[in-house]
Amino acid sequence: MAKARTAYVCSQCGSEHSKWQGQCADCGAWNTLGAFVVEPAQTPAARRGSYAGAAAGAPRITPLASVALAQEARTSIGIGELDRVLGGGLVEGSVVLVGGDPGIGKSTLLLQMLGALGTRLSSLYVSGEESLAQVAARAQRLGLALDPLRGLAETCIERILEHAAAERPRVLVVDSIQTIWTELLTAAPGSVSQVRESAARLTRYAKETGSGVFLVGHVTKEGGIAGPRVLEHMVDAVLYFEGEAGSRFRVLRAFKNRFGAVNELGVFAMSDKGLREVPNPSAIFLSAHSEPTPGSAVMVTREGTRPLLVEVQALVDASPLANPRRVALGLEQNRLAMLLAVLHRHGGAAVYDQDVFVNVVGGIRVQETAADLPVLLAVLSSFRNRALPDKTIAFGEVGLSGEIRPVPNGEERLKEAATHGFVRAIVPRANAPKKGRIGNLEVIAVDRLGDALAAG
Ligand code: TYD
Ligand code: MG
């Protein structure tokens, strides 16, 4: 029989190499290869043997029409914001990876989830980080009914799967995947190969048994989930927990979801009784200014399927440095550099000798290009030390030639702004309502950056 061989797997791109190298030949990253044991390939004879068993329950070709309806059995968890991010509830046999900074509330949320499921779905909470006493104490503090909750303090995947096979939980939580290891490998727990293999075993378990599996993942300094990128490809959904240190609010974002919209947001507030849902989150990402302040602009973002009012703040200040600083919190850094170049070229404001800091209030991350225009309005407002008119919102993508491009769902964003008492909106021309008014919102439709800045 062929022996198991060792392969070296890149933690960035997941590609396999037969020898260890300092640099991954596929993606060019340095020091990312880790050892990994590969099961021996089956011999052709053995393979033919397994095909011979096709009649007895092995996979076979099936018309999709006959499977489509049976699939996607969803269970509502009973925590509305979590159901929303999952795309409408927990799907049978799905694997969900939950990432986020330490202490943001991953363990708390998943424990609350099991509590909310209660006796409706049997569950098992596998803790590799905390003792069961700690988990139980937390469950008690969260006010959960303890009876239906079962815990297991274990980190060896073989033993976890043994217990799971005996207990047959419908929902399995593994906290965290970085602590889990397999006997097949000699690498330390948390290493790329251990994480990849353990996650693969748990994924297989989910698909075979139809149980929902939740994996908690640690986040690296760069903000990705620690371990191989393939982890994100393996699972059905990747949820990121975001939030500002010191802020009560936590945002759960679907970064990938095979069963729902990506970028869907769920908003929670951390309280002494755990995470509470914030079902109408629009107003929490606005800071409470009593009067208009320079450097602040309000935008309507639409991440996922609901619009949100979000404040963007900028501070522009003369820089003592040869290379002035450009700092973007909650936005992409490169996008900011590009926008500042467009501002100079097409808006006539030169900030090359200024430090520019931009921050999205509330620790939320805005990824859509609709933030371009509000960012530039905030930057210019701070640069000129002149506040934008009161009760004004803006959104729109800014192109390299200074044109303002439309963004999806313009009307829905305007309605959200009107509902929250805003009276002016600076928006791309194609996003202005074709007929009629939205509330008492005065819509200023703009084509070029120059027009938009003049309106602000
Ligand atoms: P935790 O869920 O342990 O985070 P993670 O698993 O992501 O590392 O985070 C808990 C944090 O939240 C911790 O700092 C304490 C705080 N907390 C509360 O404020 N209220 C509560 O009811 C609980 C359980 C935790
Ligand atoms: Mg934890």
Side-chain angles (χ1 to χ4, degrees), residues 91-106:
V91 177
E92 240 175 48
S94 66
V95 184
V96 180
L97 180 63
V98 181
D101 290 329
I104 194 121
K106 301 180 291 297

Side-chain angles (χ1 to χ4, degrees), residues 106-108 125 129-130 138 175 216:
K106 301 180 291 297
S107 308
T108 306
Y125 185 98
E129 295 189 348
E130 292 164 298
R138 175 180 296 158
D175 186 359
V216 172

Side-chain angles (χ1 to χ4, degrees), residues 150-210:
R150 283 171 303 168
L152 171 68
E154 179 59 76
T155 53
C156 171
I157 187 73
E158 280 80 14
R159 266 169 271 158
I160 291 171
L161 290 178
E162 242 166 59
H163 285 289
E167 286 275 329
R168 308 211 123 260
R170 302 304 298 149
V171 183
L172 179 68
V173 172
V174 177
D175 186 359
S176 66
I177 189 67
Q178 273 82 15
T179 59
I180 308 298
W181 56 280
T182 163
E183 287 162 351
L184 289 181
L185 294 169
T186 50
S191 65
V192 172
S193 45
Q194 289 282 11
V195 170
R196 180 173 122 147
E197 181 62 20
S198 309
R201 300 280 280 279
L202 286 162
T203 306
R204 219 172 303 145
Y205 170 80
K207 303 299 165 195
E208 282 168 10
T209 60

Side-chain angles (χ1 to χ4, degrees), residues 355-368:
D355 285 331
V356 178
F357 304 90
V358 177
N359 177 38
V360 180
V361 169
I364 183 174
R365 206 172 303 203
V366 178
Q367 283 165 346
E368 44 158 27

Side-chain angles (χ1 to χ4, degrees), residues 232-299:
E232 292 177 5
H233 301 298
M234 254 185 239
V235 300
D236 296 307
V238 180
L239 312 183
Y240 271 103
F241 230 150
E242 300 166 359
E244 224 168 34
S247 155
R248 285 189 309 124
F249 294 111
R250 305 277 189 269
V251 176
L252 187 66
R253 177 194 295 272
F255 172 77
K256 155 182 175 176
N257 193 351
R258 288 185 184 148
F259 307 112
V262 290
N263 277 344
E264 188 68 86
L265 300 183
V267 183
F268 298 89
M270 184 60 96
S271 70
D272 57 347
K273 283 273 185 301
L275 290 158
R276 287 234 170 93
E277 293 179 64
V278 183
N280 286 312
S282 226
I284 63 174
F285 300 109
L286 304 179
S287 63
H289 301 304
S290 51
E291 55 196 54
T293 336
S296 150
V298 178
M299 72 170 292

Side-chain angles (χ1 to χ4, degrees), residues 10-345:
C10 173
S11 63
Q12 285 279 330
C13 68
S15 67
E16 266 183 41
H17 304 274
S18 56
K19 282 202 296 267
W20 189 86
Q21 299 154 28
Q23 187 182 22
C24 171
D26 281 336
C27 69
W30 287 92
N31 287 327
T32 53
L33 297 199
F36 182 79
V37 172
V38 181
E39 303 269 339
Q42 281 183 328
T43 61
R47 253 189 261 148
R48 265 197 303 281
S50 67
Y51 286 148
R60 55 168 71 203
I61 297 174
T62 315
L64 292 188
S66 68
V67 281
L69 295 177
Q71 290 293 313
E72 274 216 18
R74 277 186 196 267
T75 308
S76 163
I77 291 166
I79 301 178
E81 293 291 292
L82 182 57
D83 281 332
R84 154 191 286 280
V85 177
L86 288 172
L90 171 60
V91 177
E92 240 175 48
S94 66
V95 184
V96 180
L97 180 63
V98 181
D101 290 329
I104 194 121
K106 301 180 291 297
S107 308
T108 306
L109 178 69
L110 292 177
L111 200 57
Q112 281 184 272
M113 174 185 81
L114 298 187
L117 284 171
T119 50
R120 288 183 296 142
L121 281 188
S122 60
S123 63
L124 178 61
Y125 185 98
V126 178
S127 176
E129 295 189 348
E130 292 164 298
S131 69
L132 284 189
Q134 283 171 301
V135 175
R138 175 180 296 158
Q140 202 157 31
R141 196 148 64 84
L142 291 169
L144 305 178
L146 293 185
D147 280 336
L149 298 178
R150 283 171 303 168
L152 171 68
E154 179 59 76
T155 53
C156 171
I157 187 73
E158 280 80 14
R159 266 169 271 158
I160 291 171
L161 290 178
E162 242 166 59
H163 285 289
E167 286 275 329
R168 308 211 123 260
R170 302 304 298 149
V171 183
L172 179 68
V173 172
V174 177
D175 186 359
S176 66
I177 189 67
Q178 273 82 15
T179 59
I180 308 298
W181 56 280
T182 163
E183 287 162 351
L184 289 181
L185 294 169
T186 50
S191 65
V192 172
S193 45
Q194 289 282 11
V195 170
R196 180 173 122 147
E197 181 62 20
S198 309
R201 300 280 280 279
L202 286 162
T203 306
R204 219 172 303 145
Y205 170 80
K207 303 299 165 195
E208 282 168 10
T209 60
S211 310
V213 172
F214 285 78
L215 308 176
V216 172
H218 291 172
V219 162
T220 60
K221 279 206 296 292
E222 294 77 34
I225 290 179
R229 282 310 293 271
V230 283
L231 206 56
E232 292 177 5
H233 301 298
M234 254 185 239
V235 300
D236 296 307
V238 180
L239 312 183
Y240 271 103
F241 230 150
E242 300 166 359
E244 224 168 34
S247 155
R248 285 189 309 124
F249 294 111
R250 305 277 189 269
V251 176
L252 187 66
R253 177 194 295 272
F255 172 77
K256 155 182 175 176
N257 193 351
R258 288 185 184 148
F259 307 112
V262 290
N263 277 344
E264 188 68 86
L265 300 183
V267 183
F268 298 89
M270 184 60 96
S271 70
D272 57 347
K273 283 273 185 301
L275 290 158
R276 287 234 170 93
E277 293 179 64
V278 183
N280 286 312
S282 226
I284 63 174
F285 300 109
L286 304 179
S287 63
H289 301 304
S290 51
E291 55 196 54
T293 336
S296 150
V298 178
M299 72 170 292
V300 190
T301 147
R302 189 178 183 279
E303 305 270 351
T305 57
R306 90 180 139 187
L308 267 184
L309 289 160
V310 174
E311 179 176 340
V312 180
Q313 295 183 330
L315 177 67
V316 179
D317 195 19
S319 177
L321 305 170
N323 286 318
R325 310 212 317 143
R326 271 87 181 86
V327 179
L329 295 173
L331 292 164
E332 210 198 321
Q333 192 92 16
N334 289 338
R335 189 101 198 150
L336 175 63
M338 187 196 92
L339 289 173
L340 294 178
V342 177
L343 180 64
H344 184 198
R345 190 65 196 274

